[in-house]
Amino acid sequence: MNYLKLTQYVYLLFAAYFIYGGVTKLIDPQTGTPWLSFIIAALAIFMFFFRRKYAKKFEDRNNNSK
């Protein structure tokens, strides 16, 4: 179960990568539109908090059942 706590931080790494890609696309407009990168980054940040909330909820439920 310890790996599940680590996987939520992978979403933050993805978000940082896509934000970096979006900013570089903003600087050089010939590379394409940056909005898709920003939308994916926002989705990754949302997934981080979503997974974190439910991991804590499951942990609390397991601690109460013992």
Side-chain angles (χ1 to χ4, degrees):
M1 182 98 162
N2 205 6
Y3 68 93
L4 290 177
K5 288 184 180 182
L6 293 176
T7 56
Q8 64 187 354
Y9 293 106
V10 173
Y11 287 112
L12 289 180
L13 291 174
F14 283 136
Y17 175 75
F18 282 108
I19 289 172
Y20 174 76
V23 169
T24 57
K25 288 179 183 179
L26 274 176
I27 293 171
D28 187 17
Q30 292 178 346
T31 57
T33 59
W35 306 117
L36 183 61
S37 295
F38 290 134
I39 290 170
I40 294 172
L43 182 65
I45 292 170
F46 169 76
M47 284 300 295
F48 166 75
F49 287 112
F50 181 79
R51 294 276 308 249
R52 188 170 156 186
K53 176 184 173 185
Y54 279 98
K56 183 154 178 70
K57 189 180 279 191
F58 289 140
E59 184 178 321
D60 290 342
R61 185 177 67 178
N62 287 338
N63 287 339
N64 288 337
S65 66
K66 289 182 180 179

